[in-house]
């Protein structure tokens, strides 16, 4: 196994792309998942915009490919928002932004260069609160994403869904913390059945299943490996949720009442499931067997990259650049003996098979919108 290790650029929201490329060389990774969120988006957690998506054409694509080839790095694109629910105006803007990223990936060579586009699906709670609400969200997903995936397929691009339930995406006063349709394996399998195209698949992040008390090894063994294109490297350390149980989130109750009763309650939207975000190998042990997980990926012949998504409280959470870099380095070294061959210099990525990103012959195409796609 000689999988590449990439970095997700959301951890470097204060740096520009050239500065991130320098950090990538220092850490010793082989690629970047470049975050390209909307500049006018509504999210304020772990977001970054490292490409000028408003002025991106064939010239910019060619220059970017040259830049990554000089750095001997691969790349993908991503922006993760609610595309089927939330504020109606914002959801359409998010949909149109995904179409922009698909166009950008196409100009960067798309599947030929393994340039994928990462996204969320989101969730529509107006539908979800109704009877058969989950099925209604699946139907809404199919309605919105069928033309999007058809557009991606026509352009030779693959869209990838991450499996985070986005448990903190609503006020802590709501009972449910399920805010992204792709947060469970069943939904992803149903989605592929509804839209059979090969132009969509997934980025699997095991940390989200760990806090749901689901074994990531079993998830991998029940996943169609043809749909699995990326692995997010992020760890979770579960706590003891004796008061609220492990099936439901902590609920927001009157603070004074909770204090008198001696019952812990959530302090904010993301403090719902009693876990700590970590990176493997940095700041203590986590609640996952990474060797068993990597062995399962070997068993199903997964060949894609492992992308380090740094949201760790002891790394990115400190806001300290030194600690952020340490987290990436520690995670890379932690994975090295599981992914890379042993050499006279220790476990090293075999770079002799590095393939440069090809300069595509794609001509410029106009920016597409959902209204134009439907019309």
């Amino acid at each position: 196994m000689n999988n590449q290790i990439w970095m997700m650029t959301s951890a470097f929201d204060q740096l520009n792309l050239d500065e991130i490329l320098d950090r990538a060389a220092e850490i010793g990774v082989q690629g970047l998942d470049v975050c390209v969120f909307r500049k006018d988006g509504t999210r304020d957690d772990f977001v970054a915009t490292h490409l000028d998506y408003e002025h991106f054409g064939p010239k910019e694509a060619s220059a970017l490919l040259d830049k990554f080839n000089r750095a001997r790095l691969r790349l993908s694109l991503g922006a993760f928002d609610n595309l089927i629910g939330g504020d109606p105006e914002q959801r359409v803007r998010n949909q149109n932004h995904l179409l922009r990223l698909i166009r950008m990936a196409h100009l960067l060579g798309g599947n030929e260069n393994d340039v994928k586009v990462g996204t969320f699906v989101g969730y529509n709670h107006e539908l979800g609160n109704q009877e058969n609400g989950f099925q209604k969200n699946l139907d809404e997903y199919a309605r919105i994403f069928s033309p999007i995936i058809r557009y991606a397929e026509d352009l030779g691009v693959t869209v990838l869904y991450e499996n985070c339930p986005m448990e903190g995406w609503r006020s802590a006063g709501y009972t449910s913390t399920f805010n992204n349709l792709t947060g469970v394996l069943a939904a992803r399998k149903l989605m592929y059945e509804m839209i059979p195209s090969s132009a969509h698949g997934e980025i699997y992040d095991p940390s989200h299943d760990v806090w749901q008390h689901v074994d990531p090894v079993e998830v991998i063994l029940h996943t169609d490996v043809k749909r699995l294109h990326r692995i997010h490297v992020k760890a979770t350390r579960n706590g003891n949720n004796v008061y609220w149980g492990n099936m439901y989130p902590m609920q927001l109750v009157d603070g004074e009442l909770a204090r008198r009763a001696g019952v812990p309650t959530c302090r904010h939207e993301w403090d719902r499931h009693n876990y700590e975000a970590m990176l493997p190998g940095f700041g203590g042990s986590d609640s996952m067997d990474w060797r068993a997980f990597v062995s399962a990926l070997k068993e199903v012949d997964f060949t894609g990259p492992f992308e380090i998504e740094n949201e760790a409280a002891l790394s990115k959470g400190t806001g300290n650049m030194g600690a952020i870099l340490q987290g990436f380095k520690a995670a890379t070294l932690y994975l090295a003996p599981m992914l890379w061959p042993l050499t006279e210099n220790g476990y090293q990525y075999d770079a002799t098979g590095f393939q440069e990103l090809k300069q595509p012959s794609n001509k410029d195409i106009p920016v597409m919108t959902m209204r134009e796609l439907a019309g």
Side-chain angles (χ1 to χ4, degrees), residues 155-284:
L155 294 184
V157 173
T158 301
V159 174
L160 304 181
Y161 314 113
E162 191 195 341
N163 61 304
C164 179
M166 291 308 288
E167 63 277 10
W169 228 351
R170 300 174 88 199
S171 163
Y174 287 98
T175 300
S176 172
T177 58
F178 190 81
N179 299 309
N180 183 28
L181 185 62
T182 56
V184 291
L185 177 62
R188 301 193 294 276
K189 283 183 169 288
L190 293 165
M191 289 161 54
Y192 301 138
E193 188 67 23
M194 298 177 88
I195 306 178
S197 170
S198 61
H200 60 156
E202 59 197 74
I203 305 165
Y204 179 64
D205 186 328
S207 72
H208 303 306
D209 275 332
V210 169
W211 65 254
Q212 294 180 74
H213 303 274
V214 174
D215 184 358
V217 170
E218 289 298 315
V219 174
I220 292 299
L221 297 180
H222 287 83
T223 294
D224 181 355
V225 72
K226 294 191 299 295
R227 298 289 187 183
L228 187 61
H229 295 267
R230 305 283 190 264
I231 296 295
H232 269 183
V233 177
K234 189 169 64 188
T236 293
R237 184 180 178 89
N238 284 338
N240 181 10
N241 208 355
V242 64
Y243 285 95
W244 290 100
N246 290 319
M247 189 172 179
Y248 309 106
M250 289 192 289
Q251 304 297 336
L252 184 64
V253 298
D254 179 79
E256 177 58 24
L257 173 63
R259 187 193 64 78
R260 294 201 312 267
V263 172
T265 187
C266 49
R267 295 164 294 175
H268 51 77
E269 284 76 7
W270 292 98
D271 183 31
R272 302 295 301 276
H273 287 277
N274 200 39
Y275 69 84
E276 177 189 351
M278 300 182 66
L279 284 174
F282 190 69

Side-chain angles (χ1 to χ4, degrees), residues 370-375:
M370 291 298 291
R371 177 177 292 181
E372 293 166 325
L373 204 60

